[in-house]
């Protein structure tokens, strides 16, 4: 009887271990897929903003590019089924989970405050290769 109980316990432990391995593999694949999406998006567009449509800081960052007559490629994470996973992948890549996250020519600029600061200093226009002028109205 003890031998049967030990066998059942061992069998259940093996099943649980296999389930954990499969779950880890699926999670890693999903994370890898989202990380690939983030990297491909950043490398495929001059200006990329990972944003949430309702976020006032995101609106502020997007407004900067409107002032510069530039059209960013915007990923509204709250409007995507995989938005949470993309945000997690983005966090792994840049070390921040907050939005917005702004990229120019593949380079991470930062969030809203970083973007505003780069705009006001003229660095943003320089990175974009456009004429710079003093901007302190944002």
């Amino acid at each position: 009887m003890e031998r049967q109980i030990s066998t059942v316990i061992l069998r259940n432990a093996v099943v649980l271990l296999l389930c954990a391995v499969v779950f880890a593999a699926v999670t890693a694949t999903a994370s890898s897929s989202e990380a690939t999406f983030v990297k491909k998006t950043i490398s495929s567009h001059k200006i990329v903003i990972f944003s949430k449509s309702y976020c006032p800081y995101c609106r502020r960052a997007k407004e900067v590019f409107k002032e510069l007559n530039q059209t960013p490629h915007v990923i509204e994470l709250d409007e995507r089924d995989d938005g949470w996973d993309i945000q997690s992948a983005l966090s792994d890549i840049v070390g921040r989970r907050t939005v917005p996250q702004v990229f120019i020519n593949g380079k991470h600029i930062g969030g809203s405050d970083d973007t505003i600061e780069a705009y006001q200093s003229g660095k943003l226009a320089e990175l974009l290769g456009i004429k710079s002028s003093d901007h302190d109205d944002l």
Side-chain angles (χ1 to χ4, degrees):
M1 181 71 148
E2 284 181 35
R3 185 177 231 176
Q4 286 176 330
I5 292 173
S6 295
T7 302
V8 169
I9 290 172
L10 181 59
R11 190 176 304 142
N12 288 341
V14 168
V15 168
L16 286 173
L17 180 61
L18 286 173
C19 287
V21 168
V22 168
F23 178 76
V26 168
T27 303
T29 301
S31 295
S32 175
S33 171
E34 278 77 20
T36 299
F37 170 80
V38 168
K39 291 173 185 176
K40 184 175 180 182
T41 301
I42 292 166
S43 68
S44 300
H45 301 278
K46 183 176 183 178
I47 306 166
V48 178
I49 302 175
F50 290 90
S51 171
K52 290 192 178 174
S53 61
Y54 58 83
C55 171
Y57 299 103
C58 297
R59 279 195 289 268
R60 218 171 107 191
K62 290 181 269 192
E63 184 64 31
V64 166
F65 294 99
K66 198 179 284 184
E67 289 289 324
L68 293 170
N69 295 317
Q70 299 290 307
T71 305
H73 181 75
V74 179
I75 307 296
E76 297 291 3
L77 298 172
D78 62 309
E79 296 176 356
R80 296 179 57 106
D81 291 337
D82 60 352
W84 186 260
D85 295 326
I86 291 171
Q87 191 169 1
S88 292
L90 192 59
S91 174
D92 291 342
I93 292 167
V94 300
R96 296 182 187 175
R97 187 165 176 79
T98 57
V99 289
Q101 290 304 321
V102 179
F103 296 82
I104 297 177
N105 297 321
K107 181 179 185 223
H108 181 237
I109 302 305
S112 178
D113 290 343
D114 303 311
T115 303
I116 298 296
E117 184 180 308
Y119 171 72
Q120 291 174 340
S121 72
K123 182 179 179 185
L124 197 57
E126 181 183 319
L127 288 169
L128 292 167
I130 60 176
K131 184 178 176 186
S132 176
S133 57
D134 292 330
H135 301 285
D136 349 327
D137 50 345
L138 290 177

